[in-house]
Amino acid sequence: MANEIAFYRGDAFSFDLSLVLNGTSVNMNEYTAFFTAKKRKTDPDSKAVARKSSEFPPDTDTGGITIVDYGGGQIRVVLLHKDTKDLLDGDYHYGINVVKKSDPALVYTLLQGTMTVRLDIGVRITSDPTLPEGVTTSGPTTTATPTTTSTTTTVAPTTTTVAPTTTTTTTVAPTTSTTTTVAPTTTTTTTTTTTQSP
C-alpha cells in the first residue's frame, strides 16, 4: 500500500497493512497498534481528528483496528461514517505506531503518510437521498426527526409540509435589535475683542 490514502467525507473507509519491524512481522500478541490522523504533524494527540487502537476493534458505530493475523502482523484500519462525517476537505497526516505491551516505553513508528479527504455532494445515511435532512421513511408513513437549530437571523414563523399527512411547524423567536442614534454635536466659539482708547 502506498503511503497516501484518500476518501470522501462521511464515507466508510478501510485499508489493510502488514506490519514489519526490523525485517520481521510484528507479533500482534505482543504489540498494540495505533492509527492517528492529524491536520498538522505538530498537533498533540488530543487534537487528532481520528485515533484508533487494536485494543478497540470497530463496532457498528465507530471504526477501530481489527487484527487479521496475530502472528503475521496483519491489521485492518477501519473508519466509519461517524469517524469521517465532520472532517474538512484537505490533506491530513497519519501514522501507524506499535507499542510493546510488556514495555510501553518501546514505541515504533512503522508508517507515515498523507490522508486526503474530499468533499462529497451529500453526507447522509438514509435509504432515500431525495428526503430532506432528518426525515426517514418506515413503511407507508413518514416521520420527521426533530433537530435543534440555532440562528441569529430574524425569521418569521414558517410551516413546512413534509408529507401530505404530516406537518412539522418550526418557530424561531424573532431577534430584537436596538439601534441608538447619536446626533452630532455642534460647538460654536464666539470671540469678543475689546479695544480701549487712551
Side-chain angles (χ1 to χ4, degrees):
M1 178 188 134
N3 293 353
E4 296 177 358
I5 56 178
F7 55 88
Y8 287 99
R9 175 189 63 181
D11 284 3
F13 179 78
S14 68
F15 59 96
D16 292 347
L17 294 170
S18 293
L19 303 179
V20 176
L21 178 62
N22 298 325
T24 305
S25 294
V26 174
N27 184 336
M28 293 307 297
N29 290 305
E30 299 174 8
Y31 288 89
T32 301
F34 292 94
F35 167 84
T36 307
K38 302 176 181 181
K39 190 63 179 166
R40 291 183 301 273
K41 285 184 177 182
T42 57
D43 287 344
D45 286 349
S46 61
K47 289 194 174 188
V49 297
R51 185 149 167 85
K52 302 299 173 188
S53 166
S54 59
E55 296 290 319
F56 302 98
D59 59 26
T60 57
D61 203 28
T62 59
I65 296 177
T66 301
I67 299 173
V68 178
D69 179 1
Y70 279 84
Q74 294 179 345
I75 65 169
R76 177 173 297 127
V77 178
V78 179
L79 299 176
L80 297 179
H81 172 78
K82 186 174 181 179
D83 300 314
T84 66
K85 68 183 180 73
D86 295 325
L87 295 177
L88 300 176
D89 179 51
D91 291 332
Y92 296 80
H93 303 281
Y94 78 91
I96 302 290
N97 305 80
V98 291
V99 177
K100 184 90 170 180
K101 290 179 182 178
S102 63
D103 186 358
L106 297 176
V107 178
Y108 303 98
T109 301
L110 303 181
L111 178 69
Q112 288 187 352
T114 303
M115 179 177 84
T116 301
V117 177
R118 298 181 184 118
L119 293 181
D120 61 342
I121 301 303
V123 181
R124 62 173 71 225
I125 37 177
T126 123
S127 59
D128 185 353
T130 62
L131 292 175
E133 186 84 33
V135 176
T136 59
T137 61
S138 58
T141 61
T142 302
T143 58
T145 306
T147 56
T148 304
T149 304
S150 167
T151 183
T152 56
T153 306
T154 302
V155 178
T158 60
T159 302
T160 304
T161 303
V162 177
T165 59
T166 305
T167 302
T168 303
T169 303
T170 306
T171 305
V172 178
T175 304
T176 305
S177 65
T178 306
T179 304
T180 305
T181 306
V182 178
T185 305
T186 305
T187 305
T188 306
T189 306
T190 307
T191 305
T192 307
T193 307
T194 308
T195 309
Q196 292 183 342
S197 324

